[in-house]
Each structure stands twice: as C-alpha cells, then as structure tokens.
Amino acid sequence: MTTQETSPPTHDSPTPSRWVAVFSLTMGVFSLVMAEFLPASLLTPMADSLMISEGQAGQAVTVTAVVALLSGLLVTAVTQRLDRRHVLLAFSVLMIAANLVVAFAPHMGWLLVGRVLLGVALGGFWALSAATVMRLVSEHDVPRALSLLFTGVPIATISAAALGSYLGDMIGWRNVFLLATALSVVTLVMQYVTLPRMEPGRPTPLGTLVSVMKRPGMAVGIVAILLVFCGHFAFFTYVRPFLEGVSRMGINELSSTLLAFGVANFVGTLAAGYLLERSLRLTLLLMPLVMGVLGWLLATLGGFSMGTDAVMVALWGFAFGAVPVAWSTWITRVVPDEAESGGGLIVASIQLAIALGAAVGGVMFDISGVLGVCATAGTLLLAAAALVLVGVRTRPAAMADDDTAVTGISQATSCR
C-alpha cells in the first residue's frame, strides 16, 4: 500500500485554529509531565503523610514510567477504531482522575492506583502526539509544531521541581495535586473546544508494531534513541552530586545552575523547529555529538571552575532540548503511514532508556564516582551520534532505496 493511500490527511494551509489545537496539546504535555514528576519534589511530605518510606513513595514515579511504556505500545491497537479526538480527550479525563486519586489517597495502595492511571494517559498521549500534529498542520510545519508541543516538557519539569516543593511547604502536598487537577481541567476544556474530529485510519493491530520494527532502518533508529536517552538520563540523574561534589557549588549556585539548565532546555526546544526545517539528519547527529563531547569534558575538566561547569551543564540542556523534537520528527518522516505505531515504539524506547540510564549511572557511580558517570554518558552519546551518521535513515525506505545518497547530510532536508 502506498504512503499516499495510508497517510493521515494534512492541511496545506493550516488555519489559526489548527495552531490553537496544537497549543492545547502542548497544555496536555505540560499537565502530564508536571503530574509525572511532582512526587519527586514532594517525596518527604508524601511519605510522612502516608506513613511509608521515601523509597516506597519514590515508586510512584517508577510505576508511572512502567505503565507508560506499556500504554505507549498498546494504545494504537486498542483504540484503532476510535476517533483520535475522543481518545485524546479520554486521556485528559484519566489525568484528572489520576490527580484526584493521588490528592485524596489514604494509603500507598490508592497512591499507586492514581499513578497507574497517569501512566496510561502519559504513554497513550505521547504515542499519539506526533501523528496528531501531522493531521493538524501542513507537512512543512510539522517540525515547528512539534517544537511547540515539546516546549511543555522543560516548563513542566521546572514547575514540578521549583513550584512543587515551594507550594508543598505552603499549602501541603495534597493541595498541590488539587492544583494540578485544576490545570488538567483547563487542559481538557481547551482540547474539547479546539481539537477537530480525527477519524482513525485503517485498522492497526498489535502486529503492526512488529512490522514497523522490521522496516529498513527502524531497528537502528530505535537503538540510537535508546543510546541518546540512556546517556542523557545517566548524567541527569546524577547532575546534583556532580555539581555539589566536583564543582563544589552551594545551594544558591546549584539552584541557579539547574535553573539555567531548564531555561537552556526550553530555548533548545524552541530552536529545534528551525534546525529541523533545514536538516533533520544534521540535528539528529549534532545534538548527541555535542552532549557526548560535553560529557567527556565534564569528566576530564570538571571542577576546574564553577562557572565553566555551569556553562557546560546549560549547553547540555540546550542540546537535549532538540532531541525529543528531532526523533518525533524522524518517526513522522520514516513511517508516515504508521506514525501512531512508530510513536508508540518511541515512547516505549524512551521509558526503557530512562530506567536503563538511571541503572547504568548508578552502577558507574558506585564503581568510579560521578566522573565515571559523565564519561559513560559521553560514550553512550558519541556512540549514538556515530550510529546516526552511518545507519539512520531520514526518509521512508521506498524512497531511500531509490536514492542511495540518502546518507549524505546534504539530503537530510528531504521529506516524505
């Protein structure tokens, strides 16, 4: 079946209302990611209130990631006959329910129930997001729309860390989740008003995931995604021990550096749309290359000066800001006829990489300290860059087979 027959419809001249719909999806990203990471900033009061250990409370984050992995893989097959508008709205309703369950949880069991519901919404939403954007804007505008979509991630991460802990001290952790619920309601209303009807395409059974993975270049791309995100989260999980132990930062310098990381990450996400309009392959290659070099610089020169370390961490944040946007754009170009299934594979890969990155970082931290973590992260990222250079396709296989020069960076701007 040809790409033209199976691709979801795009709009050559998207109206302003389509961009408002994209913004409503950005609100969904912001609400979901903030809810995902709120327990990290509220861990101690949550544990005290529920009379559990902080380690047990931390499982609230882990269970969400595991369920999101499964949800991302299954959502396309389970909802294959449903209007995408209804599915996305259902995920927003699940998010509201999840936050309410957590806010009123009397014990650990109900806390985990709420976090399971959030994991279903999180994984499902991410799996459908890139394919939905393809149906809202023209092909030329997809990178910029995805860039807008992903701006919700750094804003939510900063909000969850800074506002979460601050408001938790002021009004209590349960009221923080009630505020998150109110934000989720606003998101649901905006999506209800702005999202158009989007009839599902042809049925996509679970076996479609396997067939998509068998397409030329897909497995290499998924491995590259695992390496990139594993390397990033190996470093990011232990960035605070690095800044405190190697850079010898106090709490003020530490807070300022992490804020700079978040702001740079936000700017990098915005810049990604413009970079991708010029060259997808170059963006996929350049960002892990920069991060890999920074990892080794931090491992060898870390502690030379507090300012230098802060600048390198901020540059890391900027480079990583473009990474999720770039790989989401990649999936819309290499499998445009199965963007939803491809999106599910990316979600599962990222969630797996988060877990692997934290685990690999922990092992290296015990063996060689935080500098070993930086070196390991840098090595993983450089390996990802090399894989992008030699093996990652940036066009559908049928087109790439007709033009062996697809591996050239000069051809990276070609679309479907």
Side-chain angles (χ1 to χ4, degrees):
M1 186 173 292
T2 64
T3 297
Q4 288 75 13
E5 291 172 328
T6 57
S7 295
T10 56
H11 305 270
D12 294 332
S13 300
T15 62
S17 64
R18 297 287 183 176
W19 285 102
V20 176
V22 173
F23 181 75
S24 76
L25 295 178
T26 304
M27 285 289 295
V29 169
F30 174 76
S31 302
L32 283 165
V33 173
M34 189 171 71
E36 180 183 13
F37 291 113
L38 269 180
S41 63
L42 299 168
L43 210 58
T44 300
M46 288 177 67
D48 292 342
S49 174
L50 298 172
M51 292 183 290
I52 57 178
S53 70
E54 292 186 357
Q56 288 175 308
Q59 298 307 311
V61 176
T62 304
V63 72
T64 301
V66 172
V67 175
L69 186 156
L70 297 174
S71 176
L73 287 174
L74 298 175
V75 63
T76 302
V78 172
T79 66
Q80 58 183 296
R81 300 188 184 279
L82 300 178
D83 187 319
R84 272 27 207 153
R85 178 178 188 270
H86 296 157
V87 176
L88 291 168
L89 292 175
F91 288 142
S92 291
V93 172
L94 269 182
M95 175 172 55
I96 293 170
N99 286 328
L100 283 175
V101 170
V102 171
F104 292 105
H107 51 71
M108 179 71 172
W110 278 105
L111 174 66
L112 293 181
V113 168
R115 300 302 291 182
V116 166
L117 292 177
L118 183 67
V120 173
L122 184 71
F125 181 90
W126 277 124
L128 299 181
S129 58
T132 303
V133 165
M134 289 176 67
R135 301 178 71 164
L136 293 174
V137 301
S138 65
E139 182 177 344
H140 173 75
D141 288 324
V142 166
R144 193 170 297 180
L146 287 173
S147 177
L148 173 61
L149 181 76
F150 279 94
T151 56
V153 176
I155 298 174
T157 304
I158 296 170
S159 298
L163 285 178
S165 57
Y166 177 74
L167 291 175
D169 288 337
M170 288 185 61
I171 61 176
W173 71 269
R174 293 183 186 275
N175 286 322
V176 173
F177 276 96
L178 288 177
L179 288 177
T181 302
L183 180 63
S184 301
V185 171
V186 173
T187 299
L188 174 63
V189 172
M190 181 174 292
Q191 291 176 349
Y192 181 83
V193 171
T194 62
L195 287 177
R197 290 179 58 85
M198 291 174 282
E199 294 297 331
R202 60 184 175 82
T204 51
L206 195 57
T208 303
L209 290 171
V210 178
S211 64
V212 169
M213 272 297 295
K214 288 181 178 179
R215 294 192 185 188
M218 273 299 297
V220 176
I222 294 298
V223 172
I225 290 171
L226 283 170
L227 289 172
V228 171
F229 283 90
C230 186
H232 168 71
F233 282 101
F235 167 75
F236 188 68
T237 303
Y238 295 93
V239 65
R240 180 163 182 167
F242 175 87
L243 296 175
E244 290 178 329
V246 178
S247 305
R248 302 189 182 280
M249 292 185 180
I251 187 62
N252 291 332
E253 294 83 5
L254 175 66
S255 299
S256 298
T257 300
L258 292 178
L259 177 62
F261 176 94
V263 172
N265 187 246
F266 174 73
V267 174
T269 303
L270 288 178
Y274 297 96
L275 293 172
L276 290 165
E277 287 177 358
R278 287 153 181 79
S279 176
L280 172 58
R281 181 180 292 279
L282 186 60
T283 306
L284 290 173
L285 170 65
L286 188 60
M287 298 309 160
L289 181 61
V290 169
M291 294 162 67
V293 171
L294 286 170
W296 273 100
L297 288 176
L298 288 167
T300 55
L301 302 178
F304 178 75
S305 79
M306 198 178 295
T308 302
D309 290 350
V311 169
M312 286 194 286
V313 169
L315 286 174
W316 185 297
F318 175 85
F320 183 71
V323 169
V325 189
W327 285 107
S328 293
T329 302
W330 172 77
I331 205 68
T332 67
R333 294 192 182 177
V334 295
V335 285
D337 57 320
E338 294 291 355
E340 289 185 359
S341 296
L345 289 171
I346 285 186
V347 171
S349 301
I350 292 173
Q351 295 297 331
L352 178 60
I354 291 173
L356 288 176
V360 169
V363 170
M364 293 308 302
F365 188 85
D366 291 338
I367 294 175
S368 54
V370 72
L371 294 180
V373 174
C374 294
T376 301
T379 301
L380 290 171
L381 287 155
L382 290 176
L387 201 56
V388 170
L389 182 63
V390 301
V392 172
R393 298 176 184 266
T394 56
R395 293 189 294 171
M399 292 179 65
D401 291 341
D402 292 336
D403 183 2
T404 56
V406 68
T407 55
I409 291 177
S410 63
Q411 301 296 323
T413 56
S414 298
C415 296
R416 301 191 289 277

